[in-house]
Amino acid sequence: MQPKDIVAQYIADIHAQRFDEAKALLADEGFEYVGPNMRFLRPDDMLSYQFGMAAIQKDLIVRQLSADGEHVFAILDYRTNFEMIGDVRLAVWFRVRNGKIQTVEAFYNAAVVENMLGGNLPSTP
């Protein structure tokens, strides 16, 4: 699969809450997720957080997905059942190497998530 196809499948798996399938698309070694208010160095840690957010997920809409070699860029609408958050727009930059997602960098309004979690944000050293 091409990098864009791998990311599209990953997003579809997260949307459908198929976390084991999503994990299979992530690199085991050297993985990194960086967001505005958290960082994960292991796929399991990131997916545990996403699993915890699944209860409020109403929909995940891909507005744009484009690729430049190993770099894939996604613009997403994360729709929630949690009225205080509402919908969150995400810009996500993926880097795919050797058929696996190696890095994920997410950009979104971190204040909304921090307020929801009361400042209790997960991270890894």
Side-chain angles (χ1 to χ4, degrees), residues 19 40 42-54 122:
F19 296 104
F40 301 108
R42 295 177 346 128
D44 286 336
D45 294 336
M46 182 190 72
L47 289 171
S48 291
Y49 172 74
Q50 288 184 332
F51 179 78
M53 297 295 286

Side-chain angles (χ1 to χ4, degrees), residues 1-11 13 19-32 43-44 46-47 69-72 93-104:
M1 281 197 293
Q2 295 297 313
K4 184 176 178 181
D5 299 326
I6 293 167
V7 170
Q9 184 61 55
Y10 173 79
I11 293 169
D13 289 341
F19 296 104
D20 288 338
E21 289 87 342
K23 181 182 176 185
L25 299 170
L26 302 174
D28 292 324
E29 297 292 321
F31 174 82
E32 182 178 31
D44 286 336
M46 182 190 72
L47 289 171
E70 68 180 12
H71 302 276
V72 181
W93 173 19
F94 298 87
R95 187 168 37 227
V96 179
R97 291 193 175 141
N98 301 319
K100 299 278 187 169
I101 297 170
Q102 187 75 47
T103 60
V104 180

Side-chain angles (χ1 to χ4, degrees), residues 13-81:
D13 289 341
I14 292 297
H15 180 245
Q17 299 180 11
R18 295 184 303 254
F19 296 104
D20 288 338
E21 289 87 342
K23 181 182 176 185
L25 299 170
L26 302 174
D28 292 324
E29 297 292 321
F31 174 82
E32 182 178 31
Y33 167 89
V34 177
N37 52 8
M38 61 190 74
R39 180 174 180 231
F40 301 108
L41 299 176
R42 295 177 346 128
D44 286 336
D45 294 336
M46 182 190 72
L47 289 171
S48 291
Y49 172 74
Q50 288 184 332
F51 179 78
M53 297 295 286
I56 67 165
Q57 177 183 307
K58 184 187 325 180
D59 205 357
L60 183 62
I61 298 169
V62 178
R63 297 178 66 200
Q64 176 74 38
L65 189 63
S66 55
D68 181 9
E70 68 180 12
H71 302 276
V72 181
F73 306 93
I75 305 297
L76 308 168
D77 284 336
Y78 184 83
R79 296 196 175 158
T80 76
N81 294 312

